[in-house]
Structure formats: C-alpha cells, structure tokens
Amino acid sequence: MTVAHRAVVRWQRATADFDAQTFDRSHTIDYDGGERVRASSAPEHGGDASAVDPEQGLVGALASCHMLTFLTIAALKRLVIDAYEDDASAETGRNADGRMMVTRVTLRPRVRFAPGHEPDAARLAALHDKAHANCFIANSLRSAVAIEPR
C-alpha cells in the first residue's frame, strides 16, 4: 500500500537584496493535519536558532518513528509501557564525496514499563533492534543510527 505524506514548505524573500550569505532562511512547513512549524537553517548556516532546522526535523522524525514502532511491538507482545522519552541527537559531517550530510544519529530512549512488565536487558535490546529494523524513517536513511537505551 502506498500512502502519500505531504508537507507544504513556504518561503518568501523579505529583503531588497538576495545574497547567499545573508538572505533570511526562515520559512514555514505546513503538515496535513494542520500543524504549522516555524523552520530555518541551523544557526551555523545563517539560520534562526529559535526555529526548527532540517537536521532537527530529521532527528525528531527518526526518534518519533522508532518510538512508535517500539510501542507497537511492545503492545503486540503484551508489554505495558507507562512512559517513553528519547534524548536523540545528530552529527553532521562530510561523506566520502566531500558533501555535507547527517553522518550519525544517536537515539537514547528511556522506557518505563508498568510494574511486572519490565523485560531483561537482552529482551529490551531485542525490542529496540526490531523497532529499528521496522522503522520507516530508519529504513530510508544512509546515516549510521545508534540506539543507546538509558
């Protein structure tokens, strides 16, 4: 089954000049459900630090996908989860061709299971491995993804 997922990105020049070093990188992203996100490039690339940059968006999408896949797998295995938190991060660098890319994403999920549902460390790692293997976003990336449960 193919499902279309949409995001409408809008930017408009707000200055008289259009210089590669100084143009305003602020824009909006509208998602299907009506959510609007203020976005910009990362501050080190001339962007607005108070807005979401594409690298943060990628990290958030991957962490969210991993969590939702993990929760589904746990629910199917009748493991009750009370809370899930992930302090995810990404590193940028250059690939073998010298092009900038997100080189590594690290997910640091902390899962709180309901009393009596706590898996041992090996089973928890297996759950995360299965979630990673079945996450749509992870399967779409070339970057290394590390999962470090906390």
Side-chain angles (χ1 to χ4, degrees), residues 72-134:
T72 300
I73 291 166
L76 289 170
K77 294 186 178 296
R78 308 255 188 260
L79 295 171
V80 179
I81 295 174
D82 286 340
Y84 184 109
E85 176 184 313
D86 193 342
D87 181 17
S89 63
E91 298 171 21
T92 56
R94 297 199 181 273
N95 66 14
D97 296 325
R99 293 189 177 109
M100 288 299 295
M101 67 176 286
V102 172
T103 55
R104 180 179 179 85
V105 178
T106 302
L107 305 181
R108 295 177 191 88
R110 177 175 290 155
V111 183
R112 191 174 77 235
F113 290 86
H117 291 267
E118 303 91 345
D120 63 23
R123 187 164 187 211
L124 179 62
L127 290 167
H128 279 296
D129 288 345
K130 187 169 185 176
H132 180 65
N134 288 284

